Amino acid sequence: MLPYHVTRAMALATLVLTGPAAIPSAAEPADTEESLLPRILSRLEGDLDALRSFSFREEKQVERRSRTGDISSRERESSEVFHQDGLRMRRTLANGQASAPRTDEEPSPDLKDLASCFTYSTAIPAMLAERPALRLDFAARSGCLQTPGRAERILGNLEGRLWVDPEGYDLLRIEGHLRAPVTFGFGLLGKVESFELEVEREAVSPGVFAMTRLEYHAQGRIFPARHFDLRNRRDRSSFQRVSDDALSSAATTPSPHRSSDPDPDRRNRS
């Protein structure tokens, strides 16, 4: 099983970076870090607030591999996610049935403090999947997290690139990786040798972007000498804006969604 701090680092990195960034066009002066960061946080908060009125379906696949690269185990899970009474809820879909809704537990980091621990390059024109985009490099600021936990240690060594739409300045894709292995207890308690993260975001409603694919690959070892190689992919689709009445009934009414999708790679596009 993947150490919790690796999973939490993935969640923290995604929360920090999945807000659309307001990036200057080529005709405008380049934003400084001081002016860019508030815009990133503002747009992130705007999308997160809007998505509280949406439900969506999530297909998760987890693969564990041996040292030789062979798949040792594979898990799949379908879920429906929605908000109710201010809480994010999840219920598992299996064999045509929906489980009782439960609170969807996720880390609750201080986004402002975490985001301020990254530096961003000036946006440059680029192409993403044959469409114009703006690309920025990002990297964690050395020593910014003064008293980091294990997840923050991983996050504090993350670097990569992100792409935004040049017209609407919405974040389209993130690629991140560790710039150096991270050890715990001088390497005696464990070591994360590599951590690669990919995120794709798409419009799910006019003016609202959401993460539609999240995939990460982590390798390393944990005490005493157990090797881990884990790939986790989550595809989100069927985003629907729902009313308060629909949210209330969702807590008690079985979902109409099927428990499996013949096309697990299909994602919502609007």
Side-chain angles (χ1 to χ4, degrees), residues 231-248:
R231 300 171 188 264
N232 189 318
R233 173 168 176 156
R234 300 189 180 204
D235 290 281
R236 294 175 174 177
S237 62
S238 303
F239 285 83
Q240 297 183 7
R241 193 184 298 272
V242 292
S243 65
D244 292 340
D245 291 341
L247 289 176
S248 297

Side-chain angles (χ1 to χ4, degrees), residues 124-145:
I124 61 173
M127 297 296 292
L128 178 65
E130 300 183 353
R131 63 177 291 182
L134 297 174
R135 192 193 75 204
L136 295 90
D137 294 340
F138 69 86
R141 192 196 314 272
S142 178
C144 183
L145 297 171

Side-chain angles (χ1 to χ4, degrees), residues 17-260:
L17 296 172
T18 52
I23 307 301
S25 67
E28 297 173 343
D31 274 312
T32 63
E33 180 181 341
E34 289 75 15
S35 64
L36 185 59
L37 180 58
R39 297 184 182 186
I40 294 176
L41 292 175
S42 176
R43 296 295 294 272
L44 170 60
E45 292 172 357
D47 272 345
L48 291 177
D49 287 343
L51 289 171
R52 290 189 177 95
S53 64
F54 282 76
S55 66
F56 61 86
R57 177 169 177 149
E58 182 177 89
E59 304 287 344
K60 181 175 70 174
Q61 177 174 290
V62 179
E63 290 183 351
R64 294 178 176 82
R65 297 175 180 264
S66 65
R67 290 182 179 275
T68 61
D70 297 327
I71 297 177
S72 56
S73 68
R74 176 182 287 153
E75 302 172 9
R76 296 177 184 269
E77 182 181 275
S78 298
S79 301
E80 185 176 26
V81 180
F82 58 94
H83 284 80
Q84 184 177 24
D85 298 329
L87 298 176
R88 178 163 156 153
M89 310 295 291
R90 178 184 296 271
R91 58 181 184 178
T92 303
L93 309 174
N95 300 320
Q97 301 294 323
S99 69
R102 64 186 185 278
T103 302
D104 190 22
E105 299 291 345
E106 288 190 356
S108 299
D110 186 326
L111 297 183
K112 185 175 181 180
D113 286 350
L114 288 173
S116 65
C117 286
F118 287 84
T119 60
Y120 305 90
S121 69
T122 301
I124 61 173
M127 297 296 292
L128 178 65
E130 300 183 353
R131 63 177 291 182
L134 297 174
R135 192 193 75 204
L136 295 90
D137 294 340
F138 69 86
R141 192 196 314 272
S142 178
C144 183
L145 297 171
Q146 297 298 321
T147 56
R150 292 188 174 188
E152 287 76 10
R153 286 277 302 282
I154 296 174
L155 185 62
N157 281 275
L158 198 68
E159 65 181 9
R161 292 177 173 178
L162 56 85
W163 288 259
V164 297
D165 178 74
E167 295 182 0
Y169 307 125
D170 292 300
L171 182 59
L172 304 173
R173 181 177 175 86
I174 301 168
E175 294 180 359
H177 59 270
L178 284 180
R179 57 189 173 193
V182 176
T183 60
F184 304 101
F186 301 100
L188 299 177
L189 299 180
K191 180 180 182 181
V192 180
E193 297 169 350
S194 67
F195 182 83
E196 299 176 354
L197 173 72
E198 291 186 8
V199 174
E200 289 184 5
R201 301 182 78 247
E202 301 175 29
V204 298
S205 183
V208 180
F209 269 65
M211 180 175 65
T212 52
R213 181 177 73 90
L214 166 66
E215 187 169 1
Y216 71 90
H217 180 202
Q219 291 180 299
R221 60 179 176 80
I222 54 178
F223 180 83
R226 182 181 175 186
H227 171 80
F228 68 83
D229 182 336
L230 185 140
R231 300 171 188 264
N232 189 318
R233 173 168 176 156
R234 300 189 180 204
D235 290 281
R236 294 175 174 177
S237 62
S238 303
F239 285 83
Q240 297 183 7
R241 193 184 298 272
V242 292
S243 65
D244 292 340
D245 291 341
L247 289 176
S248 297
S249 62
T252 57
T253 305
S255 169
H257 293 306
R258 291 175 295 170
S259 60
S260 61

